[in-house]
Amino acid sequence: MFQLGKTIVSEDILEKEFVCNLSACHGACCIDGDAGAPLSKEETKILEEIYPKVKPYLRKEGQDIIEEKGTWVVGTEQDLETPLIDDKDCAYVIFDGKTALCGIEQAYNEGVINWKKPVSCHLYPIRVKDFTEFAAVNYDRWDICSDACTLGKELQVPVYKFVKEALVRRFGENWYLELEKVANELEAERKNKSRK
């Protein structure tokens, strides 16, 4: 672990490799698990505002659960999250064949809204936990992402590079540049050790 400003960062995000492999997992992270996507307070307001524009992109089951429970819910641990259909699929999930995609992102891609999706989804496999004085930035290992780990290894893409856009969105460009510096220093250290 190392500190960057007001964040405590796991070295795993620099050392582990990851590239989403939708053709292998079919978007399992959007339909597996026992909770919706984590949301910030600001994001719950955004979801309420954009829902009328996103609604036409969603499946009827998603629309029904959102009409019943709202655009967001309070989870079992009092976290804010997206609602689930039958405690399984995220309410905002749509399907392209058998691949799960995000209805919010679809609306964004078509220029209907200017918000891509919850930052927790955009950041995955990185999970951020906010505390009073700092945020913890960790790599979340999930067996359904084993194909993404394999592809990341093949392509030699570390987690932090794979989610660069999301990290900049969450923490800013300067934070990311500092993260890159740390990554380069660790890489140089590793090379020096292997030469000895």
Side-chain angles (χ1 to χ4, degrees):
M1 302 289 266
F2 58 92
Q3 186 166 356
L4 261 193
K6 292 192 170 188
T7 59
I8 304 293
V9 185
S10 165
E11 286 178 20
D12 281 351
I13 76 164
L14 309 179
E15 294 167 356
K16 304 293 182 193
E17 292 153 322
F18 192 99
V19 172
C20 271
N21 189 347
L22 269 183
S23 61
C25 74
H26 305 291
C29 60
C30 299
I31 54 176
D32 281 357
D34 50 11
L39 299 167
S40 68
K41 262 201 180 107
E42 298 76 38
E43 288 179 319
T44 63
K45 292 182 181 78
I46 293 168
L47 281 175
E48 288 167 8
E49 285 169 25
I50 65 171
Y51 178 66
K53 291 179 178 177
V54 171
K55 182 179 176 180
Y57 290 86
L58 304 181
R59 298 177 293 151
K60 183 170 185 326
E61 307 94 302
Q63 293 174 6
D64 289 349
I65 210 77
I66 290 167
E67 306 289 337
E68 179 194 327
K69 295 187 173 181
T71 53
W72 56 275
V73 297
V74 177
T76 50
E77 294 182 25
Q78 302 308 299
D79 294 325
L80 308 173
E81 55 193 51
T82 58
L84 297 179
I85 302 165
D86 297 327
D87 294 325
K88 202 169 171 239
D89 300 9
C90 173
Y92 295 97
V93 159
I94 57 174
F95 285 91
D96 178 10
K98 58 181 178 176
T99 300
L101 301 172
C102 177
I104 300 167
E105 190 168 12
Q106 193 67 34
Y108 170 84
N109 289 341
E110 292 185 16
V112 174
I113 57 172
N114 62 5
W115 189 69
K116 189 168 187 159
K117 56 184 165 184
V119 77
S120 64
C121 302
H122 200 187
L123 276 169
Y124 203 77
I126 289 179
R127 279 282 185 239
V128 177
K129 181 83 176 154
D130 286 303
F131 296 94
T132 314
E133 298 295 319
F134 67 94
V137 182
N138 289 299
Y139 170 53
D140 186 50
R141 290 174 192 79
W142 195 1
D143 57 356
I144 63 169
C145 292
S146 59
D147 290 306
C149 298
T150 303
L151 184 59
K153 228 178 212 104
E154 278 172 30
L155 301 175
Q156 297 183 321
V157 178
V159 173
Y160 81 96
K161 285 187 180 176
F162 173 69
V163 293
K164 176 182 179 177
E165 183 189 331
L167 284 169
V168 169
R169 177 182 165 195
R170 177 68 166 79
F171 297 111
E173 189 76 46
N174 289 341
W175 184 93
Y176 189 83
L177 291 171
E178 289 300 314
L179 181 70
E180 277 187 324
K181 266 190 218 164
V182 173
N184 293 335
E185 285 164 12
L186 285 173
E187 185 60 30
E189 268 176 43
R190 228 177 277 127
K191 281 180 179 160
N192 282 342
K193 277 182 189 163
S194 63
R195 282 196 200 106
K196 288 173 184 173

